[in-house]
């Protein structure tokens, strides 16, 4: 690739070659991504002839030949006649946008909502697979964090997703967590906006879509500021210090006080199920009978099912119930 890049640079110095209008100021002619090569140039006969000659010289020197069946040419602002004339030289199939690279649709213009259909399709497919399983809240949290948001973050790592797509992903995750029956969702113990806040604020830490997307793309700005002699360094010049962390930047976009109990709730020594139940208890979000009564759910009794003396509440369940007090005494002995 380095030898081919040098040949392309030498070819760009010939009088008949013209740079692509968007690449002229930086004199960019090619970009390499893993085993893929993208070449930019003005769509005129002279430039096409030079590019073809470069590939012929590369083949004669190395014995490696471009696979025309796996290569495409993309035009912009040309008539059908001009395209046909250039294709006679290149012998390449004309491509169309969006094109896919590593499963991600690419286009030269602003991303459209239709380009994100693949991420929504994949998430819905996973949810359909899990719908027949009896999962606890803690299990659902693990799947949302590691799988569903992992899919979302893969795309956010590259693009600024449309707001409508981010909202749709959040809605699918919310329905999966709290439950959804057709067009009607079940009782939400905590609003999704709070659930997405960082764990240091005492919540589940899913990451609010728009802010998390911006925090993830912030790493490119950090990379620009800390790498020397790169293409990005030529485009943008800035300076900063320290090591970039997505979570830290995201946390700075949230203006709320830290929860003093977060280290206790999210201790690494606890199993996921215990973490989730403890988080619910600390925030009074367990489905105790007094809580269900407040949301107008019909119950046969609101008394504690253990002692049957006092209405069941968070305070009674953990501190006042005779059975709870007995358990605490046995633990302390």
């Amino acid at each position: 690739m380095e030898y081919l890049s040098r040949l392309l640079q030498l070819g760009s110095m010939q009088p008949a070659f013209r740079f692509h209008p968007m690449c002229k100021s930086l004199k960019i002619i090619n970009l390499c991504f893993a085993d893929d090569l993208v070449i930019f140039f003005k769509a005129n006969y002279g430039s096409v002839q030079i590019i073809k000659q470069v590939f012929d010289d590369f083949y004669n020197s190395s014995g490696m030949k471009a696979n025309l069946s796996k290569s495409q040419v993309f035009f912009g602002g040309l008539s059908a006649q001009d395209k046909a004339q250039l294709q006679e030289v290149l012998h390449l199939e004309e491509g169309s946008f969006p094109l896919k690279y590593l499963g991600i649709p690419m286009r030269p213009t602003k991303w459209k909502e239709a380009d994100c259909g693949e991420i929504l399709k994949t998430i819905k497919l996973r949810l359909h697979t899990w719908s027949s399983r009896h999962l606890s809240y803690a299990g659902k949290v693990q799947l949302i964090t590691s799988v569903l948001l992992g899919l979302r973050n893969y795309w956010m790592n590259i693009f600024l997703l449309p707001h409508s797509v981010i909202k749709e992903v959040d809605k699918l995750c919310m329905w999966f967590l709290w439950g959804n029956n057709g067009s009607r969702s079940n009782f939400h113990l905590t609003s999704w906006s709070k659930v997405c806040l960082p764990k240091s604020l005492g919540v589940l830490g899913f990451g609010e879509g728009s802010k998390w997307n911006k925090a993830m793309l912030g790493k490119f700005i950090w990379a620009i500021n800390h790498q020397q002699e790169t293409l990005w360094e030529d485009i943008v010049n800035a300076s900063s210090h320290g090591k970039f962390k997505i979570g830290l930047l995201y946390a700075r976009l949230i203006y709320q006080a830290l929860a003093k109990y977060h280290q206790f709730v999210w201790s690494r020594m606890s199993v996921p199920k215990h973490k989730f139940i403890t988080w619910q208890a600390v925030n009074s979000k367990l489905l105790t009978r007094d809580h269900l009564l407040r949301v107008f759910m019909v119950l046969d009794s609101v008394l504690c099912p253990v002692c049957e003396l006092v209405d069941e509440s968070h305070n009674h369940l953990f501190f006042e119930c005779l059975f709870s007090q007995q358990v605490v005494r046995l633990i302390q002995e």
Side-chain angles (χ1 to χ4, degrees):
M1 279 297 183
E2 291 182 4
Y3 177 55
L4 178 58
S5 295
R6 288 198 297 270
L7 289 179
L8 289 170
Q9 290 295 331
L10 291 173
S12 68
M13 298 178 184
Q14 297 185 32
F17 183 84
R18 295 291 183 271
F19 284 98
H20 187 282
M22 301 296 292
C23 305
K24 185 177 180 180
S25 60
L26 296 176
K27 298 187 180 303
I28 299 173
I29 185 173
N30 68 298
L31 293 176
C32 299
F33 302 95
D35 294 332
D36 298 311
L37 174 67
V38 182
I39 301 175
F40 306 94
F41 56 90
K42 188 176 179 62
N44 61 7
Y45 190 77
S47 298
V48 169
Q49 286 284 11
I50 291 173
I51 295 297
K52 184 177 184 303
Q53 184 61 48
V54 166
F55 275 91
D56 290 341
D57 294 342
F58 180 73
Y59 171 66
N60 294 330
S61 301
S62 65
M64 292 186 289
K65 190 174 184 179
N67 190 336
L68 300 183
S69 63
K70 295 183 178 180
S71 304
Q72 292 180 319
V73 59
F74 295 84
F75 298 104
L78 289 184
S79 65
Q81 182 179 356
D82 291 336
K83 291 180 182 179
Q85 182 184 9
L86 297 181
Q87 283 182 293
E88 288 181 3
V89 179
L90 294 172
H91 302 292
L92 293 176
E93 177 187 356
E94 181 180 359
S96 60
F97 291 105
L99 62 92
K100 281 193 173 183
Y101 181 72
L102 298 180
I104 301 296
M106 312 284 286
R107 63 168 62 249
T109 58
K110 185 178 180 180
W111 238 32
K112 299 179 180 179
E113 183 178 348
D115 297 330
C116 305
E118 188 65 29
I119 181 175
L120 298 177
K121 178 182 177 181
T122 305
I123 289 177
K124 290 178 181 178
L125 182 62
R126 296 296 179 94
L127 292 177
H128 178 73
T129 304
W130 299 335
S131 60
S132 59
R133 302 181 183 180
H134 299 286
L135 299 170
S136 64
Y137 282 128
K140 291 179 179 180
V141 169
Q142 291 292 100
L143 288 175
I144 290 174
T145 303
S146 60
V147 181
L148 300 186
L149 296 186
L151 291 169
R152 181 200 71 175
N153 293 344
Y154 176 72
W155 288 54
M156 286 184 171
N157 189 49
I158 307 172
F159 299 107
L160 190 64
L161 296 182
H163 186 64
S164 59
V165 175
I166 292 175
K167 288 182 63 177
E168 182 66 20
V169 172
D170 287 346
K171 183 177 71 174
L172 293 173
C173 293
M174 177 183 65
W175 283 358
F176 176 63
L177 177 61
W178 301 129
N180 176 264
N181 183 15
S183 60
R184 187 177 179 186
S185 58
N186 293 342
F187 177 60
H188 294 183
L189 302 178
T190 306
S191 67
W192 186 254
S193 59
K194 291 185 178 180
V195 166
C196 290
L197 293 174
K199 288 185 176 180
S200 58
L201 302 182
V203 208
L204 297 181
F206 288 157
E208 191 276 319
S210 297
K211 291 185 177 65
W212 188 257
N213 198 174
K214 294 176 182 177
M216 293 196 75
L217 294 179
K219 71 178 182 299
F220 292 114
I221 299 177
W222 179 88
I224 291 169
N225 298 338
H226 288 77
Q227 295 182 21
Q228 302 296 325
E229 297 181 358
T230 64
L231 173 60
W232 288 108
E233 187 72 16
D234 294 334
I235 300 174
V236 178
N237 185 20
S239 61
S240 63
H241 302 281
K243 185 177 180 180
F244 180 81
K245 292 184 178 180
I246 295 174
L248 181 60
L249 177 57
Y250 173 73
R252 291 183 177 178
L253 298 175
I254 309 295
Y255 301 99
Q256 292 194 30
L258 296 178
K260 296 181 180 180
Y261 59 80
H262 77 276
Q263 292 183 340
F264 166 73
V265 172
W266 306 115
S267 171
R268 294 183 178 179
M269 303 300 295
S270 301
V271 297
K273 184 176 181 180
H274 295 168
K275 292 179 184 179
F276 191 85
I277 294 175
T278 305
W279 170 73
Q280 288 181 290
V282 169
N283 289 277
S284 299
K285 295 299 181 180
L286 289 172
L287 293 179
T288 53
R289 298 190 175 192
D290 66 328
H291 198 165
L292 295 174
L293 190 65
R294 287 198 296 270
V295 295
F296 307 105
M297 184 171 290
V298 179
L299 302 173
D300 295 333
S301 173
V302 295
L303 294 178
C304 173
V306 178
C307 66
E308 297 184 340
L309 297 174
V310 184
D311 291 353
E312 184 187 52
S313 64
H314 282 79
N315 193 50
H316 172 78
L317 183 65
F318 288 98
F319 305 106
E320 298 176 354
C321 182
L322 298 177
F323 178 76
S324 299
Q325 293 177 359
Q326 182 181 2
V327 170
V328 172
R329 285 196 297 270
L330 291 174
I331 293 175
Q332 291 177 342
E333 289 180 357

